[in-house]
Every structure is written in structure tokens, then in C-alpha cells.
């Protein structure tokens, strides 16, 4: 394993959702609370050159990308779509304006439908949701009893889905039908006594890589739930992970400054930056989003 690299120049308040776009060989990530989406290039020294910053004007929980380069963006209460020309169109409302929650982490499933979860802005809740957005922009609820819906991942064969419930400190697993998106019985797969699981990804051998908020760690777990590796990160609020690069052999780690005291920030001045490391492991390709729904007409698609 190589040395951890401080890869970004920007310091994010709540850096999240790293995503490798293999078609354009670019990295996408977000700063949720500041409403920013970043597009960058991975340099040969494993640092990241920021090529574009898009300001959404509201919180942005996650970003996905289609094969043609369109983006799906999780705004505060609804989804937005960005065309390849840069125009942004509003999509389905997931949360009513009166809801004390916002959209959070999301990811495309093996068939390209987009899944997105919620978190409460008004303190602990047991009514947060995880929903799937179908190709026609209809919304289907998978879970409605989470405390804080976070990281998502699928086994390499697509038939097991994992999702994080952060405040309960656990990762669920369930059978998954990639073709239909139908799920089987949800069961606890991993539980934690310390730290809070946040974003996660899967590697080519089906191991889960989980960012542990509050611990400054990324952990690798085998498909049978055993801890295989732990990476220390010089930022207590380690938020998410993704594999990047042509060979998917560079692990990208996002972090945050959110909720850190002045003393903690002084002790961990690299908080909020992105880190990269080569672990000797290759990631499994993250599925691309299926693209703009048919309900978005052609004039909107090109804006």
C-alpha cells in the first residue's frame, strides 16, 4: 500500500459522494452544505485538478452521471438534471417543502436507476427514507424507517444491495434484482460500537469499503463481514470513498470540516480535503445513471 496523498486544493465543509466517470476519465464529488458540485481530473501523482465547479443554489447531496455525460443531482428536496450543454432542469419532488429533512447520499443501481436517501435536519428521526427513481421519473420507496440514509453499494453480481443507516451504526444487506429493482428481506450485515458508517463502495472481489465518520478511518470488510483492512485518515470526519483511475486502483476519500470544534480543526488542519491512496486493490465499476427520464421533453433536455 502506498502513502496517503492529500489530493485536493479545496477544503469542503461537507465533502461527499466521489464518483469516477470512466467515459470522460473524470472525478465528480460534492460539497453538500455549500451546494457545490466539482468535476476534476486525476493527475499522474494521484492529486486532483479541479476543472469545473457548479453552484446549485441549494444543498446537493449527491451527483450521478450518464454515459452521454448528463448529471443527476440531489437538491435539498427534489432531483435536478444537468444536460451536457450545462442547463439544469428540475425533476421529481421527493420531499415536501414542509419536511424537516433533505436529500442525502445517492447512487445508480446496476440497471442505472437512481437511489437516493434522506436525513433529518431537526434532530434524530426514525422516519427517513430510501427511494428509487425509475426511468419514467416515478419514485418508489424501499425504506421508510431509517435514522439517516447514507452509503449505497451492490455486490459485483448485482444481486446483493447494501445500504447504511448511520445513526443506528449499521449496514443493511438484502437480495436485489438488478433488472426490476425489487428487493428481498433486509437484514443487518454490519454493526458498529464506535464511529458512524457513512459513504461506501465495493471492490472487484466484493469487499465493502466504508468511510467511518468520527473515527478518521476507511475500513474494508469481506463479503462475510470480517474486517480486512483499516486506513487512518488525518481528518476525523471521513465521509465517503470511491475507486478511480483507468484501472480503478486509486481509492478516493472525501472528508468534512462540519461539526469540528476550533480545537479539532487546529489538530486536523487537512479536514475537508480529498485524499487518495493505492491499496493494491481494484474497485468494481460503479454503474452509470440511465439518463434523463422520458418525461423530460427534448427542449428541456438541451437547456
Amino acid at each position: 500500500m502506498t502513502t496517503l496523498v492529500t489530493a485536493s486544493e479545496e477544503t469542503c465543509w461537507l465533502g461527499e459522494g466521489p464518483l469516477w466517470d470512466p467515459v470522460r476519465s473524470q472525478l465528480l464529488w460534492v460539497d453538500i452544505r455549500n451546494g457545490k458540485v466539482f468535476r476534476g481530473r486525476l493527475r499522474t501523482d494521484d492529486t486532483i485538478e479541479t476543472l469545473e465547479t457548479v453552484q446549485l443554489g441549494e444543498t446537493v447531496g449527491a451527483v450521478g452521471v450518464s454515459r452521454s455525460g448528463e448529471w443527476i443531482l440531489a437538491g435539498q428536496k427534489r432531483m435536478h438534471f444537468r444536460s451536457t450543454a450545462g442547463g439544469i432542469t428540475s425533476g421529481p419532488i421527493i420531499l415536501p417543502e414542509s419536511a424537516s429533512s433533505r436529500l442525502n447520499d445517492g447512487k445508480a443501481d446496476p440497471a442505472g436507476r437512481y437511489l437516493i436517501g434522506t436525513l433529518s435536519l431537526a434532530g434524530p428521526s426514525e422516519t427517513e427514507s430510501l427511494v428509487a427513481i425509475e426511468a419514467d421519473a416515478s419514485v418508489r420507496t424501499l425504506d421508510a424507517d431509517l435514522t439517516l440514509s447514507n452509503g449505497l453499494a451492490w455486490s459485483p453480481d448485482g444481486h446483493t444491495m447494501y445500504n447504511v443507516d448511520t445513526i443506528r451504526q449499521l449496514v443493511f444487506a438484502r437480495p436485489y434484482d438488478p433488472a426490476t429493482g425489487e428487493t428481498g428481506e433486509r437484514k443487518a450485515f454490519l454493526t458498529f460500537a464506535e464511529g458512524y458508517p457513512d459513504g461506501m463502495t465495493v471492490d472487484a472481489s466484493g469487499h465493502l469499503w466504508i468511510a467511518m465518520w468520527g473515527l478518521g478511518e476507511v475500513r474494508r470488510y469481506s463479503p462475510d463481514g470480517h474486517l480486512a483492512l483499516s486506513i487512518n485518515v488525518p481528518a476525523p470526519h471521513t465521509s465517503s470513498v470511491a475507486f478511480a483511475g483507468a484501472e480503478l486502483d486509486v481509492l478516493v476519500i472525501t472528508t468534512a470540516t462540519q461539526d469540528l470544534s476550533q480545537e479539532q480543526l487546529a489538530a486536523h488542519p487537512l479536514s475537508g480535503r480529498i485524499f487518495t491512496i493505492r491499496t493494491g486493490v481494484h474497485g468494481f465499476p460503479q454503474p452509470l445513471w440511465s439518463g434523463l427520464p422520458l418525461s423530460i421533453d427534448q427542449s428541456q433536455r438541451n437547456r
Side-chain angles (χ1 to χ4, degrees):
M1 182 162 26
T2 60
T3 303
L4 200 69
V5 175
T6 305
S8 67
E9 298 176 357
E10 295 84 9
T11 296
C12 290
W13 187 355
L14 182 49
E16 259 282 8
L19 171 66
W20 178 248
D21 177 355
V23 179
R24 284 149 288 274
S25 298
Q26 294 177 353
L27 184 74
L28 302 174
W29 71 100
V30 300
D31 186 349
I32 295 178
R33 294 286 295 275
N34 284 323
K36 294 180 178 179
V37 185
F38 300 95
R39 179 173 63 87
R41 179 180 68 86
L42 192 64
R43 300 186 181 103
T44 56
D45 63 357
D46 294 342
T47 61
I48 299 165
E49 175 189 3
T50 299
L51 302 174
E52 182 182 18
T53 303
V54 175
Q55 183 75 58
L56 188 60
E58 59 190 84
T59 59
V60 54
V63 59
V65 64
S66 71
R67 181 159 296 280
S68 63
E70 301 157 340
W71 293 358
I72 183 170
L73 303 164
Q76 185 165 352
K77 305 287 186 181
R78 67 193 304 160
M79 306 305 294
H80 302 281
F81 307 114
R82 185 177 191 249
S83 71
T84 54
I88 295 178
T89 301
S90 294
I93 295 175
I94 310 297
L95 296 166
E97 288 300 323
S98 59
S100 59
S101 298
R102 68 162 174 81
L103 298 179
N104 194 43
D105 208 348
K107 195 170 284 184
D109 80 352
R113 63 179 62 83
Y114 203 78
L115 274 64
I116 189 75
T118 71
L119 67 78
S120 172
L121 298 171
S125 164
E126 294 185 356
T127 59
E128 299 309 307
S129 299
L130 175 65
V131 304
I133 302 170
E134 303 290 352
D136 61 358
S138 63
V139 177
R140 177 169 53 90
T141 300
L142 278 70
D143 292 330
D145 61 347
L146 304 175
T147 62
L148 194 169
S149 181
N150 235 318
L152 295 161
W154 285 262
S155 59
D157 66 6
H159 289 287
T160 301
M161 172 186 155
Y162 303 96
N163 69 294
V164 168
D165 192 358
T166 292
I167 296 176
R168 287 198 182 103
Q169 296 175 288
L170 61 81
V171 178
F172 288 119
R174 73 193 80 186
Y176 197 84
D177 185 333
T180 66
E182 294 300 319
T183 63
E185 182 183 0
R186 184 185 76 180
K187 296 181 178 180
F189 174 66
L190 295 171
T191 59
F192 302 90
E194 58 177 359
Y196 294 90
D198 198 332
M200 65 180 173
T201 192
V202 68
D203 65 27
S205 63
H207 286 62
L208 282 179
W209 295 73
I210 305 172
M212 298 299 298
W213 182 275
L215 292 184
E217 290 183 9
V218 172
R219 295 180 178 178
R220 184 189 189 217
Y221 286 91
S222 67
D224 59 3
H226 289 94
L227 179 63
L229 178 69
S230 181
I231 300 171
N232 292 320
V233 181
H237 291 341
T238 308
S239 56
S240 195
V241 287
F243 285 95
E247 302 297 325
L248 294 179
D249 57 351
V250 179
L251 186 68
V252 176
I253 305 167
T254 55
T255 69
T257 61
Q258 178 179 299
D259 299 334
L260 294 178
S261 67
Q262 290 301 314
E263 291 76 13
Q264 288 174 309
L265 288 170
H268 304 281
L270 295 177
S271 291
R273 306 281 283 275
I274 292 179
F275 300 89
T276 58
I277 188 169
R278 293 178 182 262
T279 65
V281 173
H282 293 261
F284 187 77
Q286 165 58 38
L288 297 176
W289 169 51
S290 59
L292 286 169
L294 297 177
S295 58
I296 303 295
D297 66 34
Q298 192 63 38
S299 64
Q300 290 175 306
R301 294 170 74 98
N302 293 330
R303 288 195 316 188

